[in-house]
Amino acid sequence: MMLQSAPSVSSEALLDVDNLVVEYPVGAKIVHAVSGVSLQIARGETLGLVGESGCGKSTLGRAVLQLRRPTAGRVLFDGHDLTAMQGDALRLMRRRVQLIFQDPIASLNPRRKIGDIVAEPLVIAGVKDPEKRKQLVHEVLTAVGLDPTLVVGRLPHEFSGGQCQRICIARALILNPEFIVCDEPVSALDVSIRAQILNLLEEMKGRFGLTLLFIAHDLAVVKAVSDRVAVMYLGRLCEVGPSEQLFARPAHPYTALLIEAIPVPDPDVRPTETVPVGEPPSPIAPPSGCRFRTRCPRADQRCSDEMPELRVVAPGQFVACHHPLI
Ligand SMILES: Nc1ncnc2c1ncn2[C@@H]1O[C@H](COP(=O)(O)OP(=O)(O)OP(=O)(O)O)[C@@H](O)[C@H]1O
Ligand code: SF4
Ligand SMILES: [Mg+2]
C-alpha cells in the first residue's frame, strides 16, 4: 500500500527557504511580490503564513514548490536544492510535495469523473496497473471521509464545496507526499464546514506524517492549526514565532494590529484597534526602509532609512522591526 503512517516528528528542517525573491515584470515595471524571505519548516510541523491580500503569500507558496521559478534565492527540500533542479529530477521531487488551492470547485476539471481526477497524479507518476490505481483511489477517498463507490463515477458539480475540498485533499494525498502547501484551503467554504475540513487536514497530517505550509489571511484559523506562525507584509516577513507565544506577545506592530482586529465572540468587547487604515502601498514601488512604515504608529526616521532584518526577540521568536513591542 502506498499510503503510509506517520514518521515521528523531529526538529530537522524539511524545508529551508533562503532569501527568496519573486518579481513579476509588468510592462516596464516590476512587482516586488516576495523580497528576500527566509524560513524553515521542521518535519511534521505546520507553519502558518498570514498577511493581507496581495502581500505575496501565494507567490511564496508557489515559488517554494517551483510552480513559479523564483527570481533569486534557494529552496532546500530535504537537503535538495529545488531551485537548481530541472526536468526529470524536479518532476520526481515534485511527487513529494503538493498544493491545495483556495477554490476547490474551480480546481477540479468539470468534465472528468472524480475517480479519474483523483487517479490522475498516479497516471502521471507512471502507475500503469488500473486495478492498483483503483485500489489506491478507493483507499484515499475513504481516508478523507467519502464513500468511493458513491463518488468515483460522478462529476465535480454534483458535490458541495466542502466535498470538493475533500476530493482535492484526496488528490493531493494519493502520491503519499511529505509536504503540502495549503493555500487558503477553507476561505471559499461555508463557515459551517470550515472546521470539518480543518479537522480533516489535521487528521491527515497525523496519519500521513505531513509537513504543512498553511496560508491564510484569517488569523483565527491560522492560530488554530499552526505550530508556528509567519506574518508577511508587502513581500517581506515581519515576524515569525511559536503560535501561542506570538499571539500572546506579538513583537511587531503589524502583528499586534492584526491580532487586535480578530473579531471577538462577545459583542460587548470591541477590538481596541483595527487593521491599519488604508491600502498597503503598491509592491511596484514599496517604501524605503521598513515596508510597513507608511501605516505604522511607531515609525520614525530610522524606519525610512534602514530596512529592519529579522532578529531574535524572545526564544524562537523573530521580528523585523527597529522598535519592537517587546
Ligand atoms: N502573475 C502575476 N503577474 C503580476 N503580478 C502578480 C502576479 N501574481 C501576483 N501578482 C502580484 O503580486 C503580489 C502578490 O500576490 P499574491 O497573489 O502572492 O498575494 P496573496 O498574499 O496570496 O494575496 P491573496 O490573499 O489575495 O491571495 C500582488 O501585488 C499581486 O497583484
Ligand atoms: S521598523 Fe519602524 S515602521 Fe517598521 S514596524 Fe518597526 S517601528 Fe514600525
Ligand atoms: Mg493568495
Side-chain angles (χ1 to χ4, degrees), residues 100-144:
I100 297 172
F101 298 94
Q102 171 171 354
D103 188 343
I105 298 171
S107 70
L108 298 174
N109 183 335
R111 288 179 295 280
R112 298 199 70 195
K113 290 181 180 161
I114 303 304
D116 295 332
I117 290 174
V118 176
E120 193 178 21
L122 295 172
V123 175
I124 294 169
V127 179
K128 294 204 167 59
D129 178 0
E131 279 309 309
K132 180 74 187 165
R133 290 203 300 262
K134 193 172 161 195
Q135 180 207 332
L136 289 167
V137 167
H138 277 235
E139 279 175 11
V140 80
L141 284 171
T142 307
V144 299

Side-chain angles (χ1 to χ4, degrees), residues 217-220 254-264 270-276:
H217 59 262
D218 182 338
L219 248 72
Y254 180 57
T255 314
L257 288 171
L258 289 178
I259 292 170
E260 282 161 14
I262 296 178
V264 278
R270 296 250 162 260
T272 47
E273 289 187 67
T274 55
V275 264

Side-chain angles (χ1 to χ4, degrees), residues 212-229:
L212 303 180
L213 175 61
F214 190 97
I215 298 174
H217 59 262
D218 182 338
L219 248 72
V221 167
V222 165
K223 187 181 179 190
V225 303
S226 307
D227 300 304
R228 284 189 308 135
V229 172

